[in-house]
Amino acid sequence: MCGIVGYIGDAEAMPILLDGLRKLEYRGYDSAGIAVLSEGMVSVARRQGKLERLAGEMQANPLLGRVGIGHTCWATHGVPSDTNAHPHADCTGRIVVVHNGIIENYLSLRERLEVDGHVFTSETDTEVLAHLIESRFIGDLYDAVRQSLLEVVGSYAVVVLCRDIPDTLVAARLHSPLILGHGRGEQFVASDVPALLAYTRQVTYLQNGEIAVVTREGARVTRLDGTEIRREPATIAWDAAAAEKGGYKHFMLKEIHEQPAVIAETLRGRMGEDRAHVHLPGLKLSPDELRKITKVLVIACGTAYHAGFVGKYAFESLARVPVEIDVASELRYRTPIVDEHTLALVISQSGETADTLAAMRDAKEHGAHVLAVTNVVGSSVDRDADSILYTYAGPEIAVASTKAYTTQLMTLYQVALYLAEVRGTLDDDARARFIEALQRLPEQMATVLETEPLVKKLAEAFCGVHDTLYLGRGVNFPTALEGALKLKEISYIHAEGYAAGEMKHGPIALITPQCPTVAIAVPGGVYEKMLSNIKEVKARQGHVIAVGATDDPDLRKYADDIIPIPRTAELFTPVLAIVPLQLFSYYCADTLGLDIDQPRNLAKSVTVE
Ligand code: M6R
């Protein structure tokens, strides 16, 4: 996820671009850059690191001009650096591009362009766009961009500037947002509304597959095939402060709502064209080497550990490979049995968690191949791992992890299915059914989000309690742990996550009418057992809030409240079941008036032991 802006008008472009980028920094802050056009020259400034670094330098050496584009980067290809920062230019420096998204076929495009003599200066996917447009440009920028984008596979929002056409910006989008802002004698382009609010409330939302020619007077929009589009601009009613969080009260709520889109993004690019196989180009072990793996060792902390715990069920049941899992802070101080046939699976949103890094290095020293699942390109985990799979969740700003968790789950399911195919542990029909179910999850998750009003009511009713019990079995035991962690960290209500079958061995003593139980009771192998556990709670006057299947009449007989989720393969239910639990903790904390995005004593990334 990155933020892009564009300006064309009679004011100086640089301050407007920097201001817009500031509003979009939540989308990424690995590097930033701007390009400004003046008197037949394109001047570019770009810097690794946060925008303020670039802005500081710009104060001393401003770029002058009334047309420009800008970018704030969440790196996906190539480490964050000055040269990988946008804007990217063609060979001649006359065409410059900013881009948000992923160009999946960039390697083949790059190879072809290099054969044709184009010289690349960065490791990014975006740079191919600049060269592709250069190769098509014979005086008509709109047509050159349009023709180029027809060749691109992937997702993009782009704004293009050309020295030879000084009064025009060309903007286009596919699966990444882009909005045109209309002023008097000036026009704006941005990834998100906050960047526009200081200048205009009249906007046009570009739709997938649309391209716009933007001049001072206005914008002409067509489809990529050239068909004209006529759309009345919309008027934005948001106030600027709320809009920074996309209209949500907190980043956490925004991130919960982003989940259907980001889990879809995690799938995209790793499913084959036939949608029957998983492809993991980031995994650098050959099928032969994967068949020799005798054990997977999961290394992670906190929420990432819970994702790994779900992964254990998926790996063992689909790929029939033993999985050992421990929190990294424990793992690093014992002597696990690790050798060259161990696959060390490191899971970390930030890629900077100290205990995770230490345990990862130990595993590597003992000969394990390290496969990392991370959200942050250029992080320490990214640099030190042997193989990398990115989660593509975009920047997660709230301390309580939500979308990072569900994208980690999606990635782990993909790895499990890939291993199952390579190791021959799942027949083609079963694999096809799992892959189909996996691809339905984004849509199903959007349905789960519709339970928000119900969950909010439950949270308002229960946020006054001091203790809660979260129960789950099988693949949803980790869901109980993660649900309890979410409640603890932002609402400060004590929550005990437990394997439901263990309840009789102690925690049952906690049950009173004042200690509600949250039970995950979805259809599957342990469903009947969960019903028995729920009855045990009820027999002791406990109140049960159950997460269960939409159309489950039995659960209704025993639980006091039911939060319905759609049916899916049992192994995949954690992706759906966690969403109401995230919302429950959010609304408990909100009702209590707590600082949700920055809860006490916590930091987003634990970089010390
Ligand atoms: O960046 P990481 O995924 O390595 O972080 C691990 C934990 O610190 C993190 O998941 C933490 O538990 C979250 N605050 C949970 O919401």
Side-chain angles (χ1 to χ4, degrees), residues 32-74:
I34 62 172
V36 173
L37 180 72
S38 175
E39 293 171 9
M41 264 190 58
V42 178
S43 316
V44 178
R46 40 193 198 150
R47 285 288 170 271
Q48 181 200 344
K50 292 203 171 194
L51 176 68
E52 275 325 299
R53 189 166 163 225
L54 176 79
E57 289 179 30
M58 292 293 87
Q59 246 180 354
N61 298 302
L63 299 187
L64 299 177
R66 293 164 204 277
V67 183
I69 57 178
H71 188 271
T72 178
C73 180
W74 178 262

mmCIF file of all heavy atoms in Angstrom, residues 32-74:
data_model
loop_
_atom_site.group_PDB
_atom_site.id
_atom_site.type_symbol
_atom_site.label_atom_id
_atom_site.label_comp_id
_atom_site.label_asym_id
_atom_site.label_seq_id
_atom_site.Cartn_x
_atom_site.Cartn_y
_atom_site.Cartn_z
ATOM 1 N N ALA A 32 9.867 8.461 0.291
ATOM 2 C CA ALA A 32 8.935 9.434 -0.300
ATOM 3 C C ALA A 32 9.645 10.167 -1.416
ATOM 4 O O ALA A 32 10.886 10.259 -1.430
ATOM 5 C CB ALA A 32 8.455 10.422 0.762
ATOM 6 N N GLY A 33 8.858 10.699 -2.365
ATOM 7 C CA GLY A 33 9.483 11.457 -3.445
ATOM 8 C C GLY A 33 8.474 12.318 -4.177
ATOM 9 O O GLY A 33 7.271 12.066 -4.117
ATOM 10 N N ILE A 34 9.000 13.358 -4.840
ATOM 11 C CA ILE A 34 8.137 14.170 -5.692
ATOM 12 C C ILE A 34 8.877 14.479 -7.002
ATOM 13 O O ILE A 34 10.118 14.439 -7.055
ATOM 14 C CB ILE A 34 7.680 15.491 -5.021
ATOM 15 C CG1 ILE A 34 8.872 16.400 -4.688
ATOM 16 C CG2 ILE A 34 6.865 15.238 -3.771
ATOM 17 C CD1 ILE A 34 8.441 17.794 -4.215
ATOM 18 N N ALA A 35 8.099 14.799 -8.021
ATOM 19 C CA ALA A 35 8.663 15.290 -9.290
ATOM 20 C C ALA A 35 7.867 16.514 -9.685
ATOM 21 O O ALA A 35 6.628 16.508 -9.596
ATOM 22 C CB ALA A 35 8.562 14.220 -10.368
ATOM 23 N N VAL A 36 8.561 17.577 -10.096
ATOM 24 C CA VAL A 36 7.888 18.821 -10.464
ATOM 25 C C VAL A 36 8.387 19.245 -11.840
ATOM 26 O O VAL A 36 9.572 19.099 -12.163
ATOM 27 C CB VAL A 36 8.174 19.909 -9.396
ATOM 28 C CG1 VAL A 36 7.638 21.255 -9.840
ATOM 29 C CG2 VAL A 36 7.527 19.521 -8.068
ATOM 30 N N LEU A 37 7.438 19.769 -12.647
ATOM 31 C CA LEU A 37 7.772 20.159 -14.015
ATOM 32 C C LEU A 37 7.815 21.679 -14.126
ATOM 33 O O LEU A 37 6.891 22.351 -13.680
ATOM 34 C CB LEU A 37 6.682 19.604 -14.929
ATOM 35 C CG LEU A 37 6.792 19.881 -16.408
ATOM 36 C CD1 LEU A 37 7.911 19.056 -17.016
ATOM 37 C CD2 LEU A 37 5.479 19.550 -17.092
ATOM 38 N N SER A 38 8.895 22.184 -14.689
ATOM 39 C CA SER A 38 8.973 23.629 -14.884
ATOM 40 C C SER A 38 9.908 23.942 -16.033
ATOM 41 O O SER A 38 11.005 23.389 -16.117
ATOM 42 C CB SER A 38 9.500 24.273 -13.603
ATOM 43 O OG SER A 38 9.687 25.640 -13.807
ATOM 44 N N GLU A 39 9.458 24.834 -16.896
ATOM 45 C CA GLU A 39 10.256 25.314 -18.022
ATOM 46 C C GLU A 39 10.940 24.179 -18.773
ATOM 47 O O GLU A 39 12.181 24.160 -18.928
ATOM 48 C CB GLU A 39 11.276 26.339 -17.532
ATOM 49 C CG GLU A 39 10.581 27.600 -17.058
ATOM 50 C CD GLU A 39 11.524 28.572 -16.371
ATOM 51 O OE1 GLU A 39 12.738 28.344 -16.403
ATOM 52 O OE2 GLU A 39 11.010 29.542 -15.809
ATOM 53 N N GLY A 40 10.162 23.188 -19.141
ATOM 54 C CA GLY A 40 10.680 22.089 -19.947
ATOM 55 C C GLY A 40 11.613 21.150 -19.209
ATOM 56 O O GLY A 40 12.326 20.352 -19.821
ATOM 57 N N MET A 41 11.620 21.203 -17.885
ATOM 58 C CA MET A 41 12.498 20.313 -17.108
ATOM 59 C C MET A 41 11.705 19.591 -16.026
ATOM 60 O O MET A 41 10.874 20.210 -15.361
ATOM 61 C CB MET A 41 13.578 21.125 -16.414
ATOM 62 C CG MET A 41 14.878 21.174 -17.176
ATOM 63 S SD MET A 41 16.139 21.892 -16.121
ATOM 64 C CE MET A 41 16.142 20.824 -14.738
ATOM 65 N N VAL A 42 12.007 18.293 -15.847
ATOM 66 C CA VAL A 42 11.397 17.558 -14.730
ATOM 67 C C VAL A 42 12.453 17.438 -13.639
ATOM 68 O O VAL A 42 13.541 16.907 -13.879
ATOM 69 C CB VAL A 42 10.951 16.141 -15.160
ATOM 70 C CG1 VAL A 42 10.365 15.404 -13.973
ATOM 71 C CG2 VAL A 42 9.942 16.213 -16.290
ATOM 72 N N SER A 43 12.150 17.955 -12.442
ATOM 73 C CA SER A 43 13.082 17.803 -11.315
ATOM 74 C C SER A 43 12.497 16.793 -10.341
ATOM 75 O O SER A 43 11.317 16.872 -9.995
ATOM 76 C CB SER A 43 13.268 19.120 -10.568
ATOM 77 O OG SER A 43 13.433 20.157 -11.478
ATOM 78 N N VAL A 44 13.346 15.856 -9.914
ATOM 79 C CA VAL A 44 12.884 14.789 -9.028
ATOM 80 C C VAL A 44 13.672 14.832 -7.730
ATOM 81 O O VAL A 44 14.894 15.020 -7.737
ATOM 82 C CB VAL A 44 13.081 13.399 -9.702
ATOM 83 C CG1 VAL A 44 12.657 12.273 -8.768
ATOM 84 C CG2 VAL A 44 12.297 13.311 -11.010
ATOM 85 N N ALA A 45 12.973 14.645 -6.598
ATOM 86 C CA ALA A 45 13.654 14.491 -5.296
ATOM 87 C C ALA A 45 13.014 13.302 -4.604
ATOM 88 O O ALA A 45 11.791 13.206 -4.535
ATOM 89 C CB ALA A 45 13.466 15.751 -4.457
ATOM 90 N N ARG A 46 13.818 12.375 -4.106
ATOM 91 C CA ARG A 46 13.254 11.203 -3.429
ATOM 92 C C ARG A 46 14.223 10.730 -2.362
ATOM 93 O O ARG A 46 15.445 10.783 -2.546
ATOM 94 C CB ARG A 46 12.913 10.089 -4.417
ATOM 95 C CG ARG A 46 13.932 9.916 -5.488
ATOM 96 C CD ARG A 46 13.463 9.056 -6.623
ATOM 97 N NE ARG A 46 14.642 8.624 -7.365
ATOM 98 C CZ ARG A 46 14.750 7.500 -8.023
ATOM 99 N NH1 ARG A 46 13.757 6.669 -8.068
ATOM 100 N NH2 ARG A 46 15.859 7.188 -8.653
ATOM 101 N N ARG A 47 13.651 10.276 -1.266
ATOM 102 C CA ARG A 47 14.471 9.889 -0.131
ATOM 103 C C ARG A 47 13.904 8.659 0.562
ATOM 104 O O ARG A 47 12.696 8.537 0.750
ATOM 105 C CB ARG A 47 14.515 11.011 0.921
ATOM 106 C CG ARG A 47 15.382 12.188 0.557
ATOM 107 C CD ARG A 47 16.874 11.846 0.624
ATOM 108 N NE ARG A 47 17.660 12.930 0.030
ATOM 109 C CZ ARG A 47 17.977 13.021 -1.258
ATOM 110 N NH1 ARG A 47 17.598 12.083 -2.106
ATOM 111 N NH2 ARG A 47 18.682 14.041 -1.701
ATOM 112 N N GLN A 48 14.798 7.791 0.988
ATOM 113 C CA GLN A 48 14.410 6.695 1.856
ATOM 114 C C GLN A 48 13.956 7.283 3.192
ATOM 115 O O GLN A 48 14.445 8.337 3.594
ATOM 116 C CB GLN A 48 15.617 5.785 2.078
ATOM 117 C CG GLN A 48 15.303 4.591 2.943
ATOM 118 C CD GLN A 48 16.540 3.970 3.545
ATOM 119 O OE1 GLN A 48 17.651 4.234 3.113
ATOM 120 N NE2 GLN A 48 16.345 3.162 4.555
ATOM 121 N N GLY A 49 13.055 6.630 3.874
ATOM 122 C CA GLY A 49 12.627 7.077 5.209
ATOM 123 C C GLY A 49 11.367 7.902 5.143
ATOM 124 O O GLY A 49 10.730 8.026 4.099
ATOM 125 N N LYS A 50 11.023 8.444 6.282
ATOM 126 C CA LYS A 50 9.751 9.158 6.385
ATOM 127 C C LYS A 50 9.755 10.435 5.567
ATOM 128 O O LYS A 50 10.802 11.013 5.275
ATOM 129 C CB LYS A 50 9.470 9.460 7.840
ATOM 130 C CG LYS A 50 9.187 8.199 8.629
ATOM 131 C CD LYS A 50 8.391 8.491 9.847
ATOM 132 C CE LYS A 50 7.969 7.168 10.443
ATOM 133 N NZ LYS A 50 6.950 7.262 11.423
ATOM 134 N N LEU A 51 8.562 10.873 5.274
ATOM 135 C CA LEU A 51 8.356 12.058 4.449
ATOM 136 C C LEU A 51 9.067 13.296 5.020
ATOM 137 O O LEU A 51 9.570 14.132 4.260
ATOM 138 C CB LEU A 51 6.849 12.304 4.352
ATOM 139 C CG LEU A 51 6.400 13.547 3.614
ATOM 140 C CD1 LEU A 51 6.723 13.424 2.137
ATOM 141 C CD2 LEU A 51 4.914 13.767 3.806
ATOM 142 N N GLU A 52 9.105 13.396 6.353
ATOM 143 C CA GLU A 52 9.679 14.602 6.955
ATOM 144 C C GLU A 52 11.129 14.816 6.525
ATOM 145 O O GLU A 52 11.612 15.931 6.456
ATOM 146 C CB GLU A 52 9.553 14.567 8.479
ATOM 147 C CG GLU A 52 8.204 15.075 8.973
ATOM 148 C CD GLU A 52 7.610 16.227 8.139
ATOM 149 O OE1 GLU A 52 8.243 17.290 8.049
ATOM 150 O OE2 GLU A 52 6.522 16.061 7.548
ATOM 151 N N ARG A 53 11.821 13.715 6.261
ATOM 152 C CA ARG A 53 13.206 13.830 5.823
ATOM 153 C C ARG A 53 13.261 14.560 4.471
ATOM 154 O O ARG A 53 14.034 15.510 4.282
ATOM 155 C CB ARG A 53 13.803 12.428 5.700
ATOM 156 C CG ARG A 53 15.263 12.450 5.463
ATOM 157 C CD ARG A 53 15.920 11.111 5.675
ATOM 158 N NE ARG A 53 17.228 11.156 5.040
ATOM 159 C CZ ARG A 53 17.722 10.207 4.277
ATOM 160 N NH1 ARG A 53 17.053 9.097 4.085
ATOM 161 N NH2 ARG A 53 18.902 10.353 3.717
ATOM 162 N N LEU A 54 12.416 14.120 3.563
ATOM 163 C CA LEU A 54 12.351 14.751 2.242
ATOM 164 C C LEU A 54 11.887 16.202 2.391
ATOM 165 O O LEU A 54 12.481 17.123 1.808
ATOM 166 C CB LEU A 54 11.380 13.971 1.352
ATOM 167 C CG LEU A 54 11.122 14.566 -0.026
ATOM 168 C CD1 LEU A 54 12.283 14.240 -0.961
ATOM 169 C CD2 LEU A 54 9.823 14.030 -0.628
ATOM 170 N N ALA A 55 10.835 16.399 3.211
ATOM 171 C CA ALA A 55 10.267 17.741 3.360
ATOM 172 C C ALA A 55 11.316 18.699 3.918
ATOM 173 O O ALA A 55 11.395 19.867 3.486
ATOM 174 C CB ALA A 55 9.041 17.682 4.262
ATOM 175 N N GLY A 56 12.145 18.225 4.868
ATOM 176 C CA GLY A 56 13.202 19.057 5.442
ATOM 177 C C GLY A 56 14.165 19.518 4.360
ATOM 178 O O GLY A 56 14.538 20.694 4.272
ATOM 179 N N GLU A 57 14.555 18.579 3.511
ATOM 180 C CA GLU A 57 15.493 18.923 2.431
ATOM 181 C C GLU A 57 14.850 19.884 1.428
ATOM 182 O O GLU A 57 15.504 20.764 0.884
ATOM 183 C CB GLU A 57 15.958 17.661 1.722
ATOM 184 C CG GLU A 57 16.876 16.831 2.586
ATOM 185 C CD GLU A 57 17.322 15.566 1.903
ATOM 186 O OE1 GLU A 57 17.423 15.543 0.665
ATOM 187 O OE2 GLU A 57 17.577 14.577 2.626
ATOM 188 N N MET A 58 13.555 19.693 1.209
ATOM 189 C CA MET A 58 12.847 20.544 0.242
ATOM 190 C C MET A 58 12.751 21.995 0.722
ATOM 191 O O MET A 58 12.673 22.909 -0.073
ATOM 192 C CB MET A 58 11.428 20.006 0.010
ATOM 193 C CG MET A 58 11.342 18.678 -0.698
ATOM 194 S SD MET A 58 11.893 18.736 -2.402
ATOM 195 C CE MET A 58 13.618 18.469 -2.254
ATOM 196 N N GLN A 59 12.754 22.156 2.048
ATOM 197 C CA GLN A 59 12.696 23.520 2.585
ATOM 198 C C GLN A 59 13.943 24.297 2.168
ATOM 199 O O GLN A 59 13.876 25.463 1.783
ATOM 200 C CB GLN A 59 12.638 23.462 4.101
ATOM 201 C CG GLN A 59 11.331 23.985 4.606
ATOM 202 C CD GLN A 59 11.268 23.943 6.110
ATOM 203 O OE1 GLN A 59 12.158 23.427 6.787
ATOM 204 N NE2 GLN A 59 10.209 24.520 6.632
ATOM 205 N N ALA A 60 15.084 23.612 2.243
ATOM 206 C CA ALA A 60 16.344 24.262 1.877
ATOM 207 C C ALA A 60 16.467 24.420 0.357
ATOM 208 O O ALA A 60 16.986 25.425 -0.139
ATOM 209 C CB ALA A 60 17.503 23.448 2.425
ATOM 210 N N ASN A 61 16.003 23.395 -0.373
ATOM 211 C CA ASN A 61 16.136 23.412 -1.846
ATOM 212 C C ASN A 61 14.799 23.118 -2.510
ATOM 213 O O ASN A 61 14.570 22.012 -3.003
ATOM 214 C CB ASN A 61 17.130 22.326 -2.297
ATOM 215 C CG ASN A 61 18.494 22.584 -1.745
ATOM 216 O OD1 ASN A 61 19.085 23.626 -1.983
ATOM 217 N ND2 ASN A 61 18.990 21.624 -0.960
ATOM 218 N N PRO A 62 13.893 24.077 -2.528
ATOM 219 C CA PRO A 62 12.563 23.794 -3.065
ATOM 220 C C PRO A 62 12.589 23.480 -4.562
ATOM 221 O O PRO A 62 13.440 24.006 -5.294
ATOM 222 C CB PRO A 62 11.780 25.075 -2.783
ATOM 223 C CG PRO A 62 12.774 26.120 -2.483
ATOM 224 C CD PRO A 62 14.048 25.465 -2.056
ATOM 225 N N LEU A 63 11.673 22.617 -4.980
ATOM 226 C CA LEU A 63 11.491 22.370 -6.415
ATOM 227 C C LEU A 63 10.362 23.284 -6.875
ATOM 228 O O LEU A 63 9.266 23.242 -6.319
ATOM 229 C CB LEU A 63 11.093 20.919 -6.680
ATOM 230 C CG LEU A 63 12.071 19.818 -6.262
ATOM 231 C CD1 LEU A 63 11.575 18.462 -6.752
ATOM 232 C CD2 LEU A 63 13.459 20.090 -6.834
ATOM 233 N N LEU A 64 10.640 24.109 -7.863
ATOM 234 C CA LEU A 64 9.633 25.072 -8.305
ATOM 235 C C LEU A 64 8.927 24.575 -9.557
ATOM 236 O O LEU A 64 9.545 23.947 -10.423
ATOM 237 C CB LEU A 64 10.295 26.423 -8.581
ATOM 238 C CG LEU A 64 10.980 27.041 -7.351
ATOM 239 C CD1 LEU A 64 11.672 28.345 -7.728
ATOM 240 C CD2 LEU A 64 9.994 27.268 -6.221
ATOM 241 N N GLY A 65 7.632 24.848 -9.637
ATOM 242 C CA GLY A 65 6.855 24.428 -10.794
ATOM 243 C C GLY A 65 5.406 24.277 -10.396
ATOM 244 O O GLY A 65 5.099 24.125 -9.209
ATOM 245 N N ARG A 66 4.512 24.303 -11.391
ATOM 246 C CA ARG A 66 3.077 24.302 -11.081
ATOM 247 C C ARG A 66 2.388 23.002 -11.484
ATOM 248 O O ARG A 66 1.169 22.917 -11.517
ATOM 249 C CB ARG A 66 2.423 25.504 -11.773
ATOM 250 C CG ARG A 66 2.917 26.809 -11.175
ATOM 251 C CD ARG A 66 2.616 28.019 -12.031
ATOM 252 N NE ARG A 66 3.552 29.103 -11.722
ATOM 253 C CZ ARG A 66 3.393 29.952 -10.706
ATOM 254 N NH1 ARG A 66 2.378 29.856 -9.921
ATOM 255 N NH2 ARG A 66 4.293 30.897 -10.497
ATOM 256 N N VAL A 67 3.190 22.017 -11.821
ATOM 257 C CA VAL A 67 2.669 20.682 -12.147
ATOM 258 C C VAL A 67 3.571 19.674 -11.455
ATOM 259 O O VAL A 67 4.799 19.802 -11.530
ATOM 260 C CB VAL A 67 2.725 20.414 -13.675
ATOM 261 C CG1 VAL A 67 2.110 19.058 -13.999
ATOM 262 C CG2 VAL A 67 2.038 21.510 -14.459
ATOM 263 N N GLY A 68 2.987 18.678 -10.789
ATOM 264 C CA GLY A 68 3.871 17.704 -10.133
ATOM 265 C C GLY A 68 3.134 16.466 -9.655
ATOM 266 O O GLY A 68 1.898 16.413 -9.634
ATOM 267 N N ILE A 69 3.944 15.474 -9.270
ATOM 268 C CA ILE A 69 3.386 14.228 -8.721
ATOM 269 C C ILE A 69 4.208 13.836 -7.498
ATOM 270 O O ILE A 69 5.372 14.263 -7.357
ATOM 271 C CB ILE A 69 3.397 13.071 -9.762
ATOM 272 C CG1 ILE A 69 4.820 12.813 -10.281
ATOM 273 C CG2 ILE A 69 2.457 13.376 -10.912
ATOM 274 C CD1 ILE A 69 4.911 11.647 -11.280
ATOM 275 N N GLY A 70 3.629 13.043 -6.594
ATOM 276 C CA GLY A 70 4.345 12.637 -5.389
ATOM 277 C C GLY A 70 3.926 11.256 -4.930
ATOM 278 O O GLY A 70 2.890 10.727 -5.345
ATOM 279 N N HIS A 71 4.738 10.685 -4.021
ATOM 280 C CA HIS A 71 4.540 9.294 -3.618
ATOM 281 C C HIS A 71 5.084 9.067 -2.222
ATOM 282 O O HIS A 71 6.158 9.548 -1.869
ATOM 283 C CB HIS A 71 5.305 8.405 -4.607
ATOM 284 C CG HIS A 71 5.052 6.943 -4.455
ATOM 285 N ND1 HIS A 71 5.791 6.136 -3.623
ATOM 286 C CD2 HIS A 71 4.150 6.129 -5.049
ATOM 287 C CE1 HIS A 71 5.350 4.890 -3.712
ATOM 288 N NE2 HIS A 71 4.354 4.858 -4.569
ATOM 289 N N THR A 72 4.333 8.348 -1.388
ATOM 290 C CA THR A 72 4.871 7.863 -0.114
ATOM 291 C C THR A 72 4.739 6.347 -0.139
ATOM 292 O O THR A 72 3.698 5.808 -0.491
ATOM 293 C CB THR A 72 4.198 8.542 1.103
ATOM 294 O OG1 THR A 72 4.753 7.979 2.286
ATOM 295 C CG2 THR A 72 2.693 8.401 1.123
ATOM 296 N N CYS A 73 5.824 5.672 0.207
ATOM 297 C CA CYS A 73 5.979 4.274 -0.208
ATOM 298 C C CYS A 73 5.896 3.272 0.934
ATOM 299 O O CYS A 73 6.517 3.459 1.983
ATOM 300 C CB CYS A 73 7.346 4.142 -0.891
ATOM 301 S SG CYS A 73 7.688 2.485 -1.460
ATOM 302 N N TRP A 74 5.148 2.207 0.709
ATOM 303 C CA TRP A 74 5.202 0.991 1.528
ATOM 304 C C TRP A 74 5.836 -0.043 0.601
ATOM 305 O O TRP A 74 5.186 -0.564 -0.299
ATOM 306 C CB TRP A 74 3.786 0.579 1.945
ATOM 307 C CG TRP A 74 3.724 -0.672 2.755
ATOM 308 C CD1 TRP A 74 3.440 -1.923 2.302
ATOM 309 C CD2 TRP A 74 3.928 -0.796 4.158
ATOM 310 N NE1 TRP A 74 3.469 -2.807 3.334
ATOM 311 C CE2 TRP A 74 3.758 -2.161 4.481
ATOM 312 C CE3 TRP A 74 4.251 0.104 5.176
ATOM 313 C CZ2 TRP A 74 3.897 -2.633 5.790
ATOM 314 C CZ3 TRP A 74 4.380 -0.376 6.461
ATOM 315 C CH2 TRP A 74 4.202 -1.727 6.760
#
